[in-house]
Structures are given as structure tokens and as C-alpha cells.
């Protein structure tokens, strides 16, 4: 039984195949949040700019 638990613990400790996918997923989520916040912030400014330009015409 000791050999089985040692094999499992070594296998889990050395297996990093899913780590990269998780890191890319977190990075994509962070980029999406930054884009959403940026779009919300710039969207209001662009609307105000276009309203000003439209009113000037």
C-alpha cells in the first residue's frame, strides 16, 4: 500500500499538464475584464465626443 501512495503522490506532484491551460484561462479572463472596463469607460467618453461634434454641426 505504501508503494501505491508514493506512486500516486509522485504522479500528482510531477503532472503539470493542466497548469498551463489554467494559466491561459486566467489570463484570458483578465484580458476580458480589462476590455470590458475599458469599453465601458471609453464608450461614455466617445458618446459625449460624438454628441458634441453632432451638436456643433
Amino acid at each position: 500500500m505504501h508503494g501505491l501512495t508514493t506512486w500516486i503522490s509522485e504522479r500528482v506532484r510531477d503532472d503539470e499538464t493542466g497548469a498551463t491551460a489554467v494559466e491561459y484561462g486566467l489570463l484570458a479572463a483578465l484580458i476580458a475584464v480589462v476590455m470590458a472596463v475599458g469599453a465601458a469607460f471609453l464608450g461614455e467618453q466617445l458618446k459625449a465626443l460624438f454628441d458634441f461634434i453632432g451638436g456643433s454641426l
Side-chain angles (χ1 to χ4, degrees):
M1 187 65 156
H2 179 66
L4 178 62
T5 56
T6 303
W7 179 80
I8 290 174
S9 66
E10 287 176 359
R11 185 91 169 135
V12 169
R13 191 169 18 114
D14 294 338
D15 186 17
E16 296 183 9
T17 54
T20 304
V22 171
E23 291 165 356
Y24 281 127
L26 290 173
L27 187 59
L30 178 63
I31 291 171
V33 167
V34 168
M35 288 177 63
V37 169
F41 178 70
L42 292 177
E44 291 297 321
Q45 288 184 343
L46 284 176
K47 181 182 179 316
L49 177 65
F50 287 140
D51 286 343
F52 175 74
I53 292 172
S56 297
L57 295 176

